[in-house]
Amino acid sequence: MPTAPQPPAYVLHGERATGEPAFWAELGRAVHAPDGYYGRNLDALADCLRGGFAPEPPFTLHWRRAMDSAQALTRRVTGPDEEERSYFDAVLDVLRQGGVTVLLD
């Protein structure tokens, strides 16, 4: 019996995400997005994950040195549930809600 193909996997280098603009550039590079664009804010990322932009979920994102990103993405944002969280945590929420398996290293 043939097995189902595994979803693609990508590697994001957290040490390169030294701030929000650098994070968005690195995410676009990591997923091999056309013209390097895979969002420039949380709403745009959610749009990309809903389709029409490559890649479309499901896929796995191996976020290497994620704690480096967490230390750089500290701006506080309010989510749809009115709960305040760091930008890093908000990005994780959007990715996971969009169907991405995120592995933090």
Side-chain angles (χ1 to χ4, degrees):
M1 180 187 291
T3 60
Q6 292 295 314
Y10 304 97
V11 176
L12 188 148
H13 296 278
E15 71 276 12
R16 297 179 187 164
T18 56
E20 291 175 32
F23 164 74
W24 293 112
E26 180 57 25
L27 179 62
R29 265 192 305 275
V31 300
H32 311 289
D35 298 323
Y37 178 82
Y38 208 69
R40 295 285 181 263
N41 59 52
L42 298 170
D43 289 335
L45 174 59
D47 289 344
C48 289
L49 293 169
R50 282 193 282 272
F53 295 87
E56 291 184 20
F59 62 85
T60 299
L61 183 67
H62 295 268
W63 196 328
R64 306 274 190 232
R65 295 186 61 178
M67 288 300 96
D68 289 353
S69 298
Q71 290 172 350
L73 303 173
T74 58
R75 179 171 64 96
R76 306 301 288 175
V77 295
T78 303
D81 56 3
E82 300 300 318
E83 185 176 317
E84 190 176 284
R85 62 184 146 249
S86 72
Y87 201 77
F88 175 81
D89 288 334
V91 167
L92 283 176
D93 288 344
V94 171
L95 287 167
R96 289 175 173 152
Q97 289 169 7
V100 178
T101 300
V102 183
L103 304 175
L104 303 177
D105 291 340

